[in-house]
Amino acid sequence: MRVLIVEDDERIASFLTKGLKAEGYATLVARDGYEALAVSEAEGEALDLVLLDLGLPRIDGRVVLRSLRDRLPALPVIILTARDDVESKVQGLDSGAADYVTKPFHFEELLARIRASLRARDQTASSVLVVGDLQLDLVTKVAWRDGRRIDLAPREWALLELLMRHPHQVLSRAQILDRVWEYDFDPGSNIVDVYVGYLRRKLNAPGCAPLLQTVRGAGYRLLPPEGPGEG
Ligand code: CA
């Protein structure tokens, strides 16, 4: 297991390195946000988990988190920070952090949270993506909404998988073109809008809330409907 420690405080970084090594983890350290992005780029899928401080020199931890979510959506990120206000916690978790631990922390508890995040990753990586009442089984390649099976063409599938791996996040047409069509497509083409239209028709059903939102001038995002009592 390879853990990237993103921490500018020398003492905490070396404490974490020693502790994690003693538990059998391989560790790498990045001292600022810029280094974190460079290391994660170089390591890619070889990384198993990231411990991320928020208050970082050069590039803030929240920006690092967004970039990691975007490039390596399956990589669990545990925020480890002195920022203990509710707003920061909510924002961190909503931005896709697997967990949020505040300093000072108990090392035993941090280890347990690392194990829990790795277990969650292993379970979701192999099987099913879930957003609201929508499920995508990555093994059998079947989509379900509210118990109803949805048949998807390959591009529709790829588009839905991309959106489901980044719920709440606005994806631009260019990003979608790049990831789903994977080759240089005329950026003026309306193919993304056409496929979003196909998906919408298939996902929508009487009594079900719309999931796929158009964000004017920005792109599209998948938003799970608010459950009863949550709004
Ligand atoms: Ca710091």
Side-chain angles (χ1 to χ4, degrees), residues 54 62 79 81-95 100 102:
L54 290 182
R62 283 168 305 181
I79 293 174
T81 179
R83 293 181 197 169
D84 61 356
D85 58 294
V86 172
E87 203 187 328
S88 294
K89 289 182 193 173
V90 169
Q91 198 189 46
L93 292 168
D94 276 351
S95 304
Y100 195 107
T102 53

Side-chain angles (χ1 to χ4, degrees), residues 69-81:
R69 285 281 58 87
D70 212 35
R71 286 181 296 121
L72 300 163
L75 177 65
V77 177
I78 298 179
I79 293 174
L80 187 57
T81 179

Side-chain angles (χ1 to χ4, degrees), residues 7-8 53 55-56 103:
E7 177 60 73
D8 59 318
D53 184 21
L56 292 169
K103 297 170 186 165

